[in-house]
Every structure is written in structure tokens, then in C-alpha cells.
């Protein structure tokens, strides 16, 4: 039985100095998500260099990105259960080591199947442990107040990986080739793994403090046995509800219309219009900047408004931006393309906080695992879009039809969101 001890005044929740540790934990978790996120856009930078060096088809190279996204997605729910058994710190540090190993092995590959194994499987597994499911567990354990805001900020952290690393990586690929940037990222992952091992803590009880904003001390739960079994059981139970399928379906579309198409195909699509890779990467980085702002803002809004209405609005705006994209792409960066990056970026990750909130309201303590399964659906959509988008480009010689189809999919998601049924908070 969990024991509760009064530790702070109800009139001043979160005022005790010990609760400041929650912000340190959130910062370290954010650093891990940033580092993992830096690897997500690299395949888009590698398509042209690998095609030129090895004469591999674009579809072969994009297959590694697709496999990465699928493993990324299906690892998340099991990682959530594993973290409940082994702890946040051990799993997060181990995930960063796995990512570093995959990147180092990629630097010495000689065949397409090796790219699929090293970047697709190893980095997919490692980064899959550091998804929004990880963010949901951190905020769920360490925060009572500001939970939506912190969720939004952590949701934006993977896109901050683009902001911090992508332009420099694009410049490095142009100047030094693709191997040095990959090795540099591997070393960065090793450094973050050490920081996680030193500073991340599994639960507020580890430092003798209540969650931020909590009025009472919360005892650390015992390790949960049967992590994999529980993960599957939660899926089976959730799959009997319509809410799960609506959330998963929207996230399939979300994945296809964000990281699925953008992270692997944005640079090649811009290149088709004559844009230099460094300029294209800078625009993708700009999207990352406004994704961070949009996710944080979405978290703030989720604390105050119906998440379903927010989702409908975000998907509708995304549909309009994707429909306009072929008209604003050109050989140089024009104000219209900057406008696209700003608007699209603001709604890019904004869907995450509302979906996390809906999963928590509907499924309670199982919410993070249910969200992990919804995130798996997200990555299925992303993987399909990464591969099919590149294949459509090889077949049609243009991405125009791809943008149109994805825009229609976003309209479907916008119409679906209000149908989600959850208890009132």
C-alpha cells in the first residue's frame, strides 16, 4: 500500500526547494530526447551522398529510415513497461549507448542491408526508448502542476535536435562527406548517456521530495514484473475501446504527415526545385524551432481547452500548409517558404500533448503505455510515408501528388478528432 505523508502546504504547492529537482530531471530527459532527435533527420541528408557514392536506389536508402521509424514506434510501449521495471535512468542511458553503437557501425558500412540493420534497427530501438512515452512518464511521475506545459516542452525536444544539429550536419556533409557527422553524433550520444546516468532519477521518492506541485510525498512503486506481458495486456484491453482506435488512427496520419515525409524526403524534395541541401536543412531546422514553440504552446493550451478541439484545429491547419507546399518551394528561400515553415512548424508536434492528455484521462495509470501504442501507430504511418514518398518520387519524378494525398489525410484526421469520447477532467 502506498503511504502518504504531508510535505507541503496546500496553499503553496510546489514551493518546497526539494521539488526543484523535478526541473533538473526534466532538463536531463529533454537533453536525451534532443540527442535522440538529432538522429531522426540524418537519413534525409544521407540519401543523395549514398546514392552518389554507392549508386544505391533512393528507395533502398529510404527503407532504412522506414525500418527505423517502425522499430522506433513499436519499442515505445515496451520501453514504458521496461522503465517501470528497471527504472527511467537505466533504460534511458542504455538507449543512448545503443544509438551510439548504431551510428558508429553505420560509419563503416558497405552494403544497403547494413544501413537497414545499423540505422534502422539499432538506432530505431534506442531512439524508440526516448519518445514522447518517455516524456509522459517523466511528467507523470515528477509533476502535478505544469504537467501540460512540461509535456509540451519535452515533446518539442526531439525537434530541438534538428534545430541544434541539422544545419551544422548539412554543412559538414557538404564539406567533409557523410561519415564525420555520423561519428560526431555518436560521440554526442555517448556524452549524453553519461549525463543521464549521473543526473536522471527514476522517481521523486529517490530524492525525498514530492512531485512538483504535489501536496504529499508519494512512495516509489515497487518494480513491475512481467513488463512485456503488461504491455500486451494493456494493448488488448485498450483495443476493445473505440477511443484507442480513434487516437491510433489520427496518429497514423500524424506520423505520415510530419516526420514520415519530412525527415526523410524534405531535403530531396527541395533539391528537386534546385535548392541547395544546406539551405533546405536550414528550413527544416526552422520548422524545428517553431515546432518547439508550437508544442510548448499546445501543452499550455491543453491545460485549458478541450484536447479534441485542439486536435481538429491543428490537423486542419496542417492540411492547408501541405496543400500549399508545392507552390512555395523554389531554388531559393523566399518569404512564402519561410511562412510555410513557421505555420507548419507550429502545428508539427502540437498534436502530442492533446493525445497524451486524452490517453491519461481515458486509461488512467495505463495512459503512458496506451500512448506508447498510439505512438507505434504514429511510426507505422511515418515509416510508410518515408518509403512510399521516396518511391512515388522515383515513379512520378515529383512529390506534388504526395503533398496532395497527405493534405487530404489531415482533413480526415481533423474530422475524426471530435468523435473521441473520454471522461471529463
Amino acid at each position: 500500500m502506498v503511504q502518504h505523508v504531508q510535505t507541503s502546504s496546500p496553499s503553496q504547492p510546489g514551493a518546497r526547494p526539494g521539488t526543484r529537482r523535478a526541473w533538473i530531471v526534466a532538463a536531463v530527459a529533454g537533453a536525451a530526447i534532443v540527442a535522440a532527435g538529432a538522429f531522426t533527420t540524418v537519413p534525409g541528408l544521407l540519401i543523395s551522398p549514398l546514392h552518389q557514392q554507392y549508386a544505391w536506389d533512393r528507395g533502398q536508402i529510404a527503407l532504412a529510415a522506414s525500418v527505423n521509424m517502425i522499430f522506433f514506434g513499436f519499442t515505445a510501449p515496451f520501453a514504458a513497461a521496461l522503465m517501470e521495471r528497471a527504472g527511467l535512468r537505466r533504460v534511458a542511458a542504455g538507449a543512448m549507448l545503443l544509438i551510439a553503437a548504431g551510428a558508429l557501425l553505420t560509419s563503416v558500412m558497405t552494403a544497403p542491408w547494413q544501413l537497414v540493420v545499423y540505422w534502422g534497427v539499432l538506432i530505431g530501438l534506442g531512439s524508440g526508448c526516448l519518445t514522447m512515452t518517455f516524456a509522459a512518464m517523466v511528467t507523470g511521475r515528477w509533476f502535478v502542476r505544469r504537467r501540460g506545459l512540461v509535456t509540451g516542452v519535452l515533446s518539442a525536444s526531439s525537434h530541438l535536435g534538428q534545430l541544434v544539429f541539422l544545419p551544422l550536419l548539412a554543412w559538414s556533409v557538404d564539406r567533409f562527406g557523410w561519415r564525420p557527422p555520423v561519428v560526431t553524433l555518436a560521440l554526442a550520444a555517448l556524452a549524453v548517456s553519461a549525463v543521464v546516468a549521473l543526473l536522471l532519477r527514476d522517481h521523486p521518492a529517490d530524492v525525498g521530495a514530492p512531485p512538483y506541485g504535489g501536496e504529499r510525498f508519494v512512495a516509489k512503486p515497487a518494480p513491475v514484473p512481467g513488463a512485456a506481458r503488461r504491455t500486451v495486456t494493456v494493448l488488448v484491453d485498450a483495443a476493445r475501446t473505440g477511443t484507442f482506435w480513434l487516437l491510433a488512427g489520427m496518429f497514423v496520419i500524424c506520423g505520415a504527415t510530419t516526420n514520415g515525409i519530412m525527415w526523410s524526403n524534405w531535403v530531396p524534395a527541395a533539391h528537386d526545385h534546385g535548392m541547395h541541401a544546406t539551405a533546405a536543412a536550414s528550413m527544416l531546422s526552422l520548422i524545428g524551432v517553431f515546432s518547439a514553440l508550437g508544442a510548448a504552446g499546445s501543452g499550455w493550451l491543453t491545460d485549458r481547452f478541450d484536447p479534441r478541439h485542439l486536435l481538429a484545429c491543428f490537423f486542419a491547419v496542417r492540411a492547408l500548409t501541405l496543400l500549399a507546399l508545392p507552390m512555395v518551394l523554389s531554388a531559393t528561400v523566399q518569404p512564402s517558404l519561410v511562412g510555410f515553415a513557421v505555420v507548419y512548424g507550429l502545428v508539427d508536434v502540437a498534436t502530442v500533448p492533446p493525445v497524451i492528455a486524452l490517453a491519461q484521462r481515458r486509461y488512467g495509470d495505463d495512459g503512458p503505455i496506451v500512448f506508447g501504442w498510439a505512438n507505434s501507430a504514429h511510426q507505422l504511418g511515418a515509416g510508410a510515408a518515408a518509403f512510399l514518398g521516396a518511391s512515388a518520387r522515383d515513379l512520378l519524378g515529383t512529390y506534388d501528388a504526395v503533398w496532395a494525398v497527405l493534405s487530404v489525410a489531415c482533413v480526415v484526421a481533423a474530422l475524426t478528432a471530435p468523435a473521441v469520447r473520454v471522461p471529463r477532467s
Side-chain angles (χ1 to χ4, degrees), residues 28 89-90 92-94 191-201:
V28 173
R89 179 170 60 171
R90 290 180 181 177
V192 172
S193 178
V195 172
V196 167
L198 288 172
L199 298 179
L200 190 66
R201 292 296 180 268

Side-chain angles (χ1 to χ4, degrees), residues 8-211:
S8 63
S9 170
S11 63
Q12 292 181 311
R16 294 188 67 219
T19 62
R20 295 172 187 166
R21 186 57 182 264
W23 295 104
I24 297 176
V25 168
V28 173
I33 296 173
V34 165
F39 288 82
T40 57
T41 53
V42 173
L45 299 177
L46 298 184
I47 287 179
S48 294
L50 293 179
H51 176 70
Q52 293 170 2
Q53 180 172 346
Y54 296 111
W56 297 345
D57 291 339
R58 289 182 177 86
Q60 286 181 302
I61 302 168
L63 178 61
S66 296
V67 171
N68 176 285
M69 292 175 188
I70 291 171
F71 272 87
F72 179 103
F74 278 97
T75 299
F78 291 96
L82 182 61
M83 287 175 185
E84 291 184 345
R85 180 179 179 85
L88 299 174
R89 179 170 60 171
R90 290 180 181 177
V91 175
M96 293 307 307
L97 291 176
L98 193 62
I99 290 171
L104 289 173
L105 289 169
T106 297
S107 68
V108 296
M109 70 179 179
T110 56
W113 70 264
Q114 293 173 331
L115 179 63
V116 171
V117 173
Y118 302 153
W119 204 277
V121 177
L122 294 183
I123 294 180
L125 287 172
S127 57
C129 294
L130 300 169
T131 65
M132 298 308 99
T133 305
F134 173 55
M137 293 194 70
V138 170
T139 55
R141 290 185 175 188
W142 283 89
F143 290 86
V144 174
R145 295 178 64 227
R146 312 298 187 196
R147 183 175 290 177
L149 176 62
V150 177
T151 299
V153 172
L154 291 180
S155 299
S157 295
S158 63
H159 287 250
L160 284 176
Q162 300 171 16
L163 165 65
V164 173
F165 292 106
L166 188 58
L168 179 60
L169 289 171
W171 176 82
S172 298
V173 169
D174 280 344
R175 179 111 183 213
F176 305 109
W178 63 271
R179 282 189 175 88
V182 168
V183 173
T184 300
L185 280 179
L187 297 177
L190 289 174
V192 172
S193 178
V195 172
V196 167
L198 288 172
L199 298 179
L200 190 66
R201 292 296 180 268
D202 298 333
H203 194 276
D206 292 340
V207 296

